[in-house]
Amino acid sequence: MQLEHYMLGFKETFPPTMKTSLMLLPLNESLGSSLFDKRVISRICQSAYGKLGFMWVPIMCKTTGGSRPKKKIYHRVHELDRAMDLQKKPSLILQLKSIVQSQKYQSLLLRDLEKEVGFVKKWNYMAAIEKYPSIFRVSGGNRTPPTLTLGQNAEKIAAEEDDARGKMEPILVKNLRKLLMMSIDCRVPLETVELIESELGLPNDFKKSLIPKYPGFFSVKDLHGKAYLQLENWDSSLAISAREERLAREGILDSAGHTKKARITKDVNFRGPFAFHLKFPAGFRPNMSYLEEVQRWQKLEFPSPYLNARRFDIADPKARKRVVAVLHELLSLTMEKRLTSAQLDAFHTEYRLPARLLLCLIKHHGIFYITNKGTKSTVFLKEAYDGPSLIDKCPLLVFRDKFVALTGRKEINSCNGRPSSQFVV
């Protein structure tokens, strides 16, 4: 037995003495196949590695010869790493806007800012207030305590948020129904929905403002002392994935759902009815056998992510490909087509996700990208991005871009995108 170490882009730190190599699993190895019969994940090491952190997954594997195995590399996509960096300041500005607007008279005493965000974070917000006087106005002084309000232009644009929220409501209802339809019992713990509420674009009070408004679609039920969001009726017209909608737009499927002739493009994408859009990083140089393997996988039929997972055996290659479709669809339902690894894992039970979810994401690196930028590891849907920019934007993201543009900054995470046709109900 020989011990191989693989390094993944997750927020863990390890000794500098360890050699860095990254993981790329072959597509023909399944989550329940002999790959994991022969390899046993022994442990996950944690110790100081300086500023840059990674996860090492030591794996025991059988070898037939004495030669040293080739390094497996998980290629970084620097543009998507940059997308995480570009969101930091806009996120802080939008959070501060929300804090000011949540006050009774939409004004905040500066001395109370620490109560809202804590002592450490307060200084980041103070720096933003000082840097962007066109957005945040400080008044008072001498005998009156300094008060923070939105500037005139910022207040004018902030008033447009209600309109954006109004446009978002039918989108949110549709996406929430689809989210529940993919679960095995058409229900998801309410705490799981709350975990991704901001990623979906739900308002903070969605349990009071949105759910009771649609009793024909949703209900909250208590099961074994735990609150669940339950789907009240099934709509077959919603059981169409974002992948299928893209194929219809590209002419691979006609309006009746019939398949047209498949073909392979120069970017190594197979345009077939069961294919996923792949985006390999610039440094990735696959050999011919790998490309043939990809083509076979792309041609493989698989069940819809909206069919009940109980009907399928995870050992079946078609069921394993369906898991990829479920992850793809879940990310597609979010505003920015990304979730943290912890948020994805929260759907493990309801969606019957594989125990080795991380390895599944790494294996399909043409579809998903894992970055350790930011405070948490984040999984991107690669096809949704052009460089660091989100391609399609919902009305709420369009509004946020307009507000952040008051800083004079033209390029942010979701800039250069377009309002998405998929958000039209």
Side-chain angles (χ1 to χ4, degrees), residues 203-335:
N204 295 331
D205 62 344
F206 78 94
K207 290 182 291 184
K208 295 180 179 179
S209 63
L210 187 68
I211 302 304
K213 198 173 178 179
Y214 297 92
F217 296 151
F218 312 111
S219 64
V220 177
K221 295 185 178 179
D222 187 271
L223 188 64
H224 307 301
K226 193 173 185 179
Y228 281 79
L229 184 61
Q230 176 83 41
L231 182 71
E232 285 301 305
N233 65 71
W234 179 276
D235 187 348
S236 298
S237 66
L238 296 181
I240 301 172
S241 67
R243 185 194 66 86
E244 291 170 318
E245 290 175 352
R246 177 183 58 79
L247 291 178
R249 289 196 302 270
E250 294 176 354
I252 305 301
L253 296 176
D254 59 25
S255 57
H258 298 133
T259 306
K260 296 185 179 181
K261 188 177 180 181
R263 57 191 174 87
I264 302 176
T265 61
K266 291 182 180 180
D267 60 357
V268 199
N269 270 294
F270 177 77
R271 304 300 194 197
F274 299 102
F276 288 83
H277 184 74
L278 304 179
K279 291 182 74 173
F280 293 113
F284 182 65
R285 298 290 183 268
N287 55 32
M288 187 56 67
S289 63
Y290 182 85
L291 293 178
E292 290 172 354
E293 206 174 289
V294 169
Q295 186 175 337
R296 285 194 298 272
W297 187 81
Q298 291 279 56
K299 290 181 178 179
L300 180 67
E301 298 181 17
F302 65 94
S304 167
Y306 289 97
L307 292 177
N308 198 310
R310 287 196 182 99
R311 298 168 56 180
F312 312 111
D313 180 6
I314 194 61
D316 185 350
K318 293 181 180 180
R320 292 195 297 272
K321 189 172 180 180
R322 179 190 171 277
V323 168
V324 176
V326 170
L327 294 170
H328 183 284
E329 186 70 357
L330 179 54
L331 291 172
S332 297
L333 294 177
T334 64
M335 291 196 301

Side-chain angles (χ1 to χ4, degrees), residues 60-78:
M60 295 296 291
C61 65
K62 292 182 179 179
T63 56
T64 54
S67 61
R68 187 176 181 180
K70 292 182 179 179
K71 288 183 178 181
K72 314 286 183 174
I73 300 177
Y74 184 77
H75 292 269
R76 283 203 169 282
V77 181
H78 296 291

Side-chain angles (χ1 to χ4, degrees), residues 147-166:
T147 303
L148 177 67
T149 57
L150 294 180
Q152 187 175 356
N153 288 339
E155 206 169 43
K156 185 178 179 180
I157 294 176
E160 298 176 15
E161 184 172 3
D162 288 340
D163 181 58
R165 289 284 183 186

